[in-house]
Amino acid sequence: MAPYIFKILRFNPKADPMPYFQEYNVELEPSDSVLEGILKIQDEIDPSLAFRYSCRGAVCGSCAVVINGKFNLACRSLVKNVKTEEIVLEPLPNLEIVKDLIVDLQPFWKAYEKIRPYLIPKVIPEKENLVSPKEERAIDNFINCILCACCYGSCPVVTRDEKYLGPAALAKLFRFAGDIRDKGHTDVLDEIDIESGTWGCDTVFKCVDACPKKVRPTDGIEALRRKTVLRKSKRLIGVK
Ligand code: SF4
Ligand code: F3S
């Protein structure tokens, strides 16, 4: 066991005038995760500390936070890998704080809902509809998204434009629009052919840096742009 200092942003909008940092000293094994540290603080020191988690295995995305300035999942960040004396924890930016490390994800889910995140098949197949490895590779990276919202929290366009759909929703749209079995999500592509959709991204790659699952949302957005331009060009010259 070794001593660790956790400095956690606390804020209850119903009771506190301003957010503030609270320090906790906690003994942990170096191989423990940041999430285990938070759970220990809640169990043994301060039951009022609020945070969200579920799977503890980097699959559900619920425990996304900012750890010493970097976006990550608390469950997959080991305390021994945080290379400073203090482990500073803050909630995801760009989303309202509900309490402490819990943010209101409604804007993130509303953007996700807009892209209709499901396969719209070209034909209803009579048997298994196989995809070749090459076709799968084109969308594979975007399938890995676990909807943790780290990218949404990191994006400067979301900060200045609350209508912007954000990196996760747009990358997930390409996961379906680029799927050979899908109709191409053409209605959605037309609906979001606007500044707060396909064209909002400033290509600053913050979302790529923030993603704990190595998804590259910027690449998905660029692919959507190419698809949209191609569709418009074909329409102009009367090709279906
Ligand atoms: Fe999280 Fe990455 Fe998906 Fe964004 S793209 S929601 S950071 S897994
Ligand atoms: Fe935002 Fe990613 Fe574009 S951070 S501006 S969506 S490159």
Side-chain angles (χ1 to χ4, degrees):
M1 286 274 191
Y4 290 89
I5 302 167
F6 277 63
K7 205 169 166 184
I8 303 181
L9 189 129
R10 305 292 313 271
F11 185 48
N12 179 355
K14 291 183 184 143
D16 303 324
M18 294 281 285
Y20 61 97
F21 281 97
Q22 188 158 357
E23 266 186 33
Y24 301 96
N25 295 300
V26 55
E27 294 276 325
L28 293 166
E29 296 291 348
S31 59
D32 282 339
S33 67
V34 169
L35 178 61
E36 280 164 314
I38 303 172
L39 284 163
K40 194 163 184 184
I41 292 167
Q42 197 191 45
D43 279 350
E44 298 175 10
I45 308 172
D46 186 351
S48 75
L49 178 62
F51 60 97
R52 190 187 275 133
Y53 78 103
S54 181
C55 76
R56 301 174 83 156
V59 175
C60 74
S62 324
C63 65
V65 281
V66 181
I67 305 172
N68 286 21
K70 295 206 167 108
F71 293 83
N72 214 332
L73 305 173
C75 72
R76 66 158 226 168
S77 306
L78 304 186
V79 288
K80 70 178 176 193
N81 291 340
V82 182
K83 304 269 185 237
T84 55
E85 283 179 6
E86 293 175 341
I87 296 173
V88 182
L89 302 181
E90 295 167 89
L92 294 183
N94 288 343
L95 294 156
E96 268 184 41
I97 297 175
V98 176
K99 188 166 184 280
D100 303 334
L101 298 175
I102 298 178
V103 289
D104 180 0
L105 285 161
Q106 278 200 59
F108 177 77
W109 293 123
K110 277 190 181 146
Y112 186 59
E113 198 179 354
K114 274 197 187 133
I115 61 107
R116 305 209 260 293
Y118 41 83
L119 197 85
I120 305 172
K122 283 178 187 156
V123 286
I124 305 293
E126 283 175 18
K127 56 181 186 159
E128 200 176 0
N129 195 357
L130 295 178
V131 174
S132 75
K134 190 176 168 208
E135 288 158 352
E136 200 269 342
R137 272 198 297 278
I139 53 168
D140 193 34
N141 181 256
F142 312 109
I143 293 172
N144 293 332
C145 171
I146 56 167
L147 299 167
C148 67
C150 281
C151 56
Y152 192 88
S154 76
C155 177
V157 181
V158 175
T159 310
R160 70 165 189 260
D161 177 7
E162 61 181 21
K163 291 199 186 118
Y164 179 48
L165 291 179
L170 292 169
K172 193 62 95 173
L173 172 55
F174 186 71
R175 178 259 171 271
F176 293 106
D179 190 313
I180 193 75
R181 299 163 298 178
D182 193 272
K183 272 183 186 163
H185 265 60
T186 46
D187 293 352
V188 185
L189 284 179
D190 285 343
E191 281 165 30
I192 66 152
D193 183 12
I194 48 175
E195 191 60 31
S196 57
T198 315
W199 305 103
C201 170
D202 282 353
T203 326
V204 291
F205 294 94
K206 296 239 179 213
C207 50
V208 175
D209 294 342
C211 181
K213 301 301 273 188
K214 296 195 173 6
V215 178
R216 295 181 54 84
T218 323
D219 295 356
I221 296 167
E222 289 296 313
L224 281 182
R225 288 177 171 177
R226 286 194 295 275
K227 221 174 174 27
T228 303
V229 170
L230 188 66
R231 269 166 56 70
K232 285 166 131 174
S233 311
K234 280 185 175 170
R235 265 188 214 153
L236 268 178
I237 57 171
V239 177
K240 282 213 169 178

